[in-house]
Amino acid sequence: MTQHTLDFWYEFASTYSYPAAMRVEAAASAAGVRVRFRPFLLGPIFGALGWTDSPFNIYPVKGRYMWRDMERICEGLGLPLNLPPLRFPQNGLKAARLALAGEADGWTGDFTRAVYSANFAQARDISDDAVLAEILAGLGVDGTAAVAAANAPDVKARLKAQTDEAVALGIFGAPSFTVGEELFWGNDRLEQAVQWAARG
Amino acid sequence: MTQHTLDFWYEFASTYSYPAAMRVEAAASAAGVRVRFRPFLLGPIFGALGWTDSPFNIYPVKGRYMWRDMERICEGLGLPLNLPPLRFPQNGLKAARLALAGEADGWTGDFTRAVYSANFAQARDISDDAVLAEILAGLGVDGTAAVAAANAPDVKARLKAQTDEAVALGIFGAPSFTVGEELFWGNDRLEQAVQWAARG
């Protein structure tokens, strides 16, 4: 564990990961902390808990509250939020693999933010190849090469390993933040996690 | 709905209700907001969601996180927390009825804080008549009269009605805060709820 590093664990389908993703880099940077973007998949983790859908769909009373809470949070942050959503949860598998593939050229953060905007602000289908291609083009990334990299066996294996690592860290939802083995869950723990990382 | 009033919904078994209960009155008072203490029972609400135990016990990975999170929160607030707990969840039925009975004489807030301290700081059994009697005596309350009032049919009915009202407001966990029909869930929404109430 390097000092002053914060691991930001996110799933592209996750609502509360949207405000976290949009502000984590700025918040960390202001505290002298480096962020590692750690996309992972909630599906296997929820499956192990016995859930075959988002708990916000399984328990409608929690879902109704979550959307209202998201409205208040996004309004407070000045983030656009388009409700009702196109679909919830969306399938974030392709986007998660692309995010990993972007690490080599350093566009993972920008890509991550653009995918969350597409999902929650623009009501676009983030599992649609054309939408992902447009996002990549908007970042000046060679989409054909990026998709080829994202579909390579090593990226698929890394996403699986990253999800396994999330489980090993005790992660059960997104967004989560870790500093070494210290775990913080939820967009509302972002500041606390950054402070923890800054203490080194 | 009176302006500048915040309803604080809590269950004596609930961990995150402890830090909320200890600070809600001071936080509200500083913002010119009146707090109404609204004890209710989570058991029937969890039962309707299909849970026969706390989700922190049903899902151990969430429970482990919650206790660590509680440690950090209580340390940050300077609140004592005694872990492992005597038992979790404890049965808060008697305490909830007493809290309602205390409204007439205005000791509900002090009693509520004393019961949370007994549960989470002193590892005492809050369903034990002797513990409750000691708490009442410590507040200078006539325990015999208080217990008689708490066991009267009207208080039992009011607790049931209050729990029904919580369900009608979309409450699914504790602590929760409401300002009119606006719902906030969790100790970490206390400040936001107080601000909402202060806007009137």
Side-chain angles (χ1 to χ4, degrees), chain A residues 138-157:
Chain A
L139 301 174
V141 171
D142 178 341
T144 306
V147 169
N151 288 329
D154 75 299
V155 164
K156 292 184 178 179

Side-chain angles (χ1 to χ4, degrees), chain A residues 11-93:
Chain A
E11 144 77 70
F12 280 108
S14 152
T15 50
Y16 287 108
S17 294
Y18 167 43
M22 301 313 267
R23 62 205 187 88
V24 64
E25 215 153 37
S29 174
V33 169
R34 186 174 73 98
V35 177
R36 291 203 298 176
F37 281 75
R38 310 294 302 270
F40 72 110
L41 300 179
L42 272 178
I45 293 176
F46 283 177
L49 295 175
W51 303 331
T52 54
D53 193 356
S54 164
F56 294 128
N57 290 339
I58 297 173
Y59 306 110
V61 68
K62 299 190 75 159
R64 279 190 295 276
Y65 174 76
M66 178 275 289
W67 290 113
R68 176 61 187 139
D69 194 39
M70 278 289 293
E71 279 186 330
R72 290 188 306 232
I73 289 169
C74 290
E75 189 183 333
L77 295 170
L79 283 178
L81 177 69
N82 199 321
L83 297 183
L86 177 70
R87 189 168 59 246
F88 177 79
Q90 289 209 41
N91 186 332
L93 175 63

